[in-house]
Amino acid sequence: MRLQELPLGPLERALLASLQRLQPQAPEAVLACAALCSETLASGDVCLPLARVAGRRPWAEFDFALPALAELRAVLASSALVGTPGAFAPLILEGERLYLARYQAYEQRLAERLLVMSAERPEVDETRLAESLARLFAFNQQQPDWQRLAAAQAVRRRLAVISGGPGTGKTTTVVRLLAALLEQPGGDRLAIGLAAPTGKAAARMAEAIRNAKAELPLADELKALLPEEARTLHRLLGSRGDSPAVRHDAARPLALDVLVVDEASMVDLALMAKLVDALPPQARLILLGDKDQLAAVEAGAVFAELCEGRGFDAAAAAELQRITRQTVPVEAPRSALGDAVVLLTHSHRFAGDSGIGELARRINGGDAAGTLNLLRENRADLAWQAEPSQSALLERLERGYLPYLQAARKGEPAVAFTAFTAFRALTAQREGPWGVSGLNEALETRIRRRYSLAERERWYPGRAVMVRQNDYALGLFNGDIGICLASEYGLRVYFEGEEGFRAFAPARLPSHDSAFAMTVHKSQGSEFSEVLLALPESPSPLLTRALFYTGITRAKHKVEIWGLPARLSEAVNTKAERAAGLAQRLGVTLVEPSPAELSAPPPGQLDLF
């Protein structure tokens, strides 16, 4: 096989060149599968299911087809480049899944550690725990009170996985379960850490916990022990630039007894494996997230796979009922994690008559017809433009941001940030006229015209930007939002900080983009009063159920959808499945997707950021 003939990226070409040096006569099928393994990582898959590519032409423009499944597996198994789990080889074949060796090791090691953690039971004073839970969750009247049940499991287990949609009280739950932990014997000596995948998520988590502490029915000396700072996972682990190695691992564990990770659905396989490796043997891990949200941009959908195993058997339900005095439904656990997984189901944000809440349920249920019918009902908190045009969309965006632009011209950061959270435009993709780049450019042209600004003027009062790379020296992180305002020193870009607003000269900022329109991926974890979700006119592999759900649930009061009925139906009907083996390693019995369902979009179309 001549490498120059393959339609591959530079990473895949370098990989194949390396493999050919190791085995100059490597079969074409092995090299092709190696390249495909690398490409699948860009699509979010952890491994290459052979059924996806066997007997097919992997690259439509290249006249090369792989052998049928049985023959392909035999060719791979006989190659010196391919080993079985535990072997020292660049590729690992496990059943009918082919991995790059590093990712097979990540997945296997993570599963082993999680199974050990889920089986261990820390010493707990159950009488004191029952009293703590009754007092800390007395405000909840739901039956069963899933927040209370989740807190009980987090105290009684080394591993707790808590999933819930917007408004289900994940922050309330974690603050109160930490309070219950502090009230346990020796709890005042616990080292508790807070972390999140991004700087923005970490800052929001810390702020939410600081705000929630005031209302806690907890002794002041214990309340003072609740952490008020959160770090990014990369900073917590001590990432070393472009190296996959981190400072903290099994040999140099974190000095923590309890670690809470928010927005865990955004954590990829590699990062989660390193995180679990770095925990001391007796530490508790509490993962918070929403299993229905978009998964990490990098390979893996770890949180969603963990949530597949939820369920309380009769013994676990009886234990919980005795401690919490809650009726606990019995459901056979679907994995070895079992009762470590708890789903929060009651939304305090979306009332029973909420259109947004009902829309979210129909989207997650895969009910495309019901989704369209609901949008046609003209609910007060739902709006739908079924025949969108770009000119009409730009006019709507200009009207939507006008109150913010007027507020920003007053030069007061607090006023500007409050106004900016009132309305936000979200898109499915980055490129194209309906993507972030196209909408931001066109909208900023209109803003310059409205305020008679020079066409080439990049900075002006009211320009909103999003940071694209971490800058630890400045304390700015990927996803942070800044607003340009006039000051006594000229134009400055303000960012919200823990102790007020911080101002920077525009020239000092790390890589950034305008942020009037942002991708749904970048909006994860954020909340806005009103959201306008613009979907592309043409079919796109990015239009999935998870993206649609994540986009509409960023809105607290109203969501406005601009998209053709066909695009909405496609999004609801497309459930993104990432190829991986973690759930199976944890004992989850899943129905294997068909080769058609496993078909992945070309990596080049996945430019989410």
Side-chain angles (χ1 to χ4, degrees):
M1 180 184 293
R2 291 181 297 174
L3 294 178
Q4 62 271 23
E5 293 180 357
L6 287 171
L8 301 176
L11 183 60
E12 288 70 36
R13 291 183 182 279
L15 173 63
L16 294 197
S18 176
L19 295 178
Q20 285 187 309
R21 287 194 295 272
L22 293 173
Q23 188 182 20
Q25 303 305 317
E28 291 185 341
V30 173
L31 295 176
C33 285
L36 290 169
C37 260
S38 179
E39 288 185 344
T40 58
L41 292 176
S43 303
D45 294 329
V46 173
C47 59
L48 175 68
L50 299 185
R52 176 190 290 176
V53 297
R56 300 185 179 190
R57 292 169 60 176
W59 301 278
E61 63 271 41
F62 188 70
D63 188 17
F64 170 79
L66 289 167
L69 183 59
E71 183 183 349
L72 177 59
R73 197 184 186 291
V75 170
L76 290 167
S78 63
S79 172
L81 298 174
V82 182
T84 55
F88 188 72
L91 300 169
I92 300 296
L93 181 62
E94 195 168 357
E96 293 185 357
R97 300 193 302 268
L98 184 67
Y99 293 83
L100 294 181
R102 178 186 296 169
Y103 283 85
Q104 191 277 339
Y106 283 147
E107 189 175 88
Q108 181 172 319
R109 192 165 69 243
L110 176 60
E112 291 171 352
R113 288 294 311 275
L114 290 176
L115 289 172
V116 169
M117 294 178 71
S118 67
E120 294 180 348
R121 303 290 184 265
E123 285 191 25
V124 172
D125 183 332
E126 292 191 349
T127 301
R128 188 173 297 186
L129 175 60
E131 188 279 329
S132 295
L133 294 175
R135 174 169 33 82
L136 291 165
F137 291 92
F139 65 95
N140 270 345
Q141 301 302 314
Q142 293 81 34
Q143 183 68 238
D145 177 2
W146 287 106
Q147 292 184 358
R148 188 178 310 195
L149 296 178
Q153 292 304 82
V155 174
R156 299 168 65 242
R157 299 287 187 269
R158 280 194 59 214
L159 174 68
V161 180
I162 303 173
S163 174
T168 52
K170 294 189 291 293
T171 301
T172 298
T173 302
V174 77
V175 170
R176 291 170 187 261
L177 76 82
L178 290 178
L181 267 175
L182 291 173
E183 290 185 326
Q184 285 289 300
D188 56 346
R189 296 190 299 272
L190 291 175
I192 302 173
L194 307 177
T198 66
K200 179 177 66 173
R204 190 173 53 251
M205 179 192 193
E207 180 184 10
I209 287 182
R210 285 195 298 271
N211 293 339
K213 284 174 60 173
E215 301 176 1
L216 275 181
L218 185 69
D220 288 342
E221 61 271 19
L222 293 181
K223 194 179 293 188
L225 298 176
L226 284 169
E228 293 192 346
E229 304 297 331
R231 288 178 282 179
T232 66
L233 290 173
H234 287 95
R235 196 165 196 178
L236 177 74
L237 293 173
S239 294
R240 300 175 176 178
D242 294 332
S243 169
V246 291
R247 184 177 303 112
H248 292 286
D249 54 22
R252 296 171 293 269
L254 295 163
L256 291 174
D257 299 302
V258 182
L259 176 62
V260 181
V261 179
D262 198 13
E263 298 294 346
S265 63
M266 298 169 65
V267 183
D268 61 275
L269 171 66
L271 186 56
M272 188 68 81
K274 294 171 187 176
L275 176 68
V276 173
D277 260 354
L279 288 175
Q282 303 306 316
R284 286 178 172 87
L285 176 63
I286 301 164
L287 301 175
L288 305 175
D290 184 347
K291 67 180 182 63
D292 296 313
Q293 276 194 187
L294 285 164
V297 175
E298 293 81 7
V302 174
F303 191 78
E305 288 189 275
L306 299 185
C307 291
E308 291 286 350
R310 63 190 180 275
F312 295 97
D313 62 22
E319 281 184 19
L320 267 181
Q321 185 164 329
R322 173 172 51 80
I323 294 169
T324 65
R325 299 180 182 178
Q326 298 287 302
T327 301
V328 183
V330 175
E331 180 184 2
R334 284 174 273 179
S335 84
L337 297 189
D339 57 11
V341 182
V342 179
L343 304 187
L344 305 181
T345 57
H346 179 76
S347 177
H348 300 271
R349 180 193 300 178
F350 302 130
D353 60 348
S354 163
I356 298 175
E358 179 60 26
L359 182 62
R361 286 187 286 273
R362 295 191 187 189
I363 291 171
N364 279 336
D367 184 1
T371 295
L372 299 183
N373 289 337
L374 178 64
L375 290 172
R376 294 187 181 105
E377 290 181 9
N378 295 319
R379 296 280 189 102
D381 56 348
L382 296 176
W384 180 27
Q385 176 51 260
E387 297 180 357
S389 68
Q390 192 184 33
S391 59
L393 174 59
L394 289 172
E395 290 177 7
R396 173 67 184 94
L397 293 181
E398 189 174 4
R399 290 198 310 273
Y401 281 116
L402 184 57
Y404 155 71
L405 291 169
Q406 292 171 338
R409 297 187 78 80
K410 298 178 181 178
E412 299 176 13
V415 173
F417 274 91
T418 299
F420 194 52
T421 60
F423 176 83
R424 193 61 51 88
L426 305 180
T427 72
Q429 57 197 27
R430 179 172 174 79
E431 304 300 334
W434 292 81
V436 167
S437 300
L439 290 180
N440 277 323
E441 183 178 349
L443 182 58
E444 286 196 284
T445 297
R446 287 172 170 259
I447 292 172
R448 291 189 187 94
R449 189 182 306 133
R450 171 180 287 274
Y451 293 107
S452 302
L453 300 172
E455 187 173 337
R456 294 185 178 181
E457 187 66 60
R458 290 187 63 222
W459 293 101
Y460 52 86
R463 186 190 181 199
V465 296
M466 175 181 286
V467 174
R468 292 196 64 185
Q469 68 182 46
N470 294 339
D471 188 323
Y472 289 103
L474 295 180
L476 297 176
F477 303 97
N478 184 11
D480 284 353
I481 295 290
I483 294 177
C484 182
L485 301 173
S487 77
E488 59 181 314
Y489 305 106
L491 292 179
R492 290 292 183 268
V493 184
Y494 289 82
F495 291 84
E496 291 181 290
E498 295 167 4
E499 300 177 356
F501 296 93
R502 298 182 300 145
F504 298 89
R508 293 188 65 198
L509 298 186
S511 176
H512 56 272
D513 290 324
S514 294
F516 292 104
M518 58 196 295
T519 61
V520 174
H521 262 90
K522 283 290 192 182
S523 75
Q524 280 184 267
S526 299
E527 296 177 357
F528 313 105
S529 180
E530 185 175 344
V531 162
L532 186 151
L533 176 62
L535 302 181
E537 291 183 298
S538 303
S540 168
L542 297 176
L543 286 179
T544 64
R545 190 179 303 172
L547 180 136
F548 198 3
Y549 165 82
T550 304
I552 65 123
T553 54
R554 299 311 91 202
K556 292 195 289 186
H557 301 122
K558 184 174 183 180
V559 65
E560 184 174 337
I561 299 167
W562 285 57
L564 297 168
R567 299 293 86 77
L568 271 63
S569 296
E570 288 165 11
V572 175
N573 289 326
T574 304
K575 186 175 182 181
E577 298 285 355
R578 293 191 169 184
L582 179 62
Q584 290 90 325
R585 295 179 198 277
L586 296 174
V588 177
T589 303
L590 298 176
V591 177
E592 287 293 331
S594 68
E597 292 172 321
L598 282 170
S599 297
Q605 296 183 25
L606 290 169
D607 183 11
L608 304 176
F609 288 85

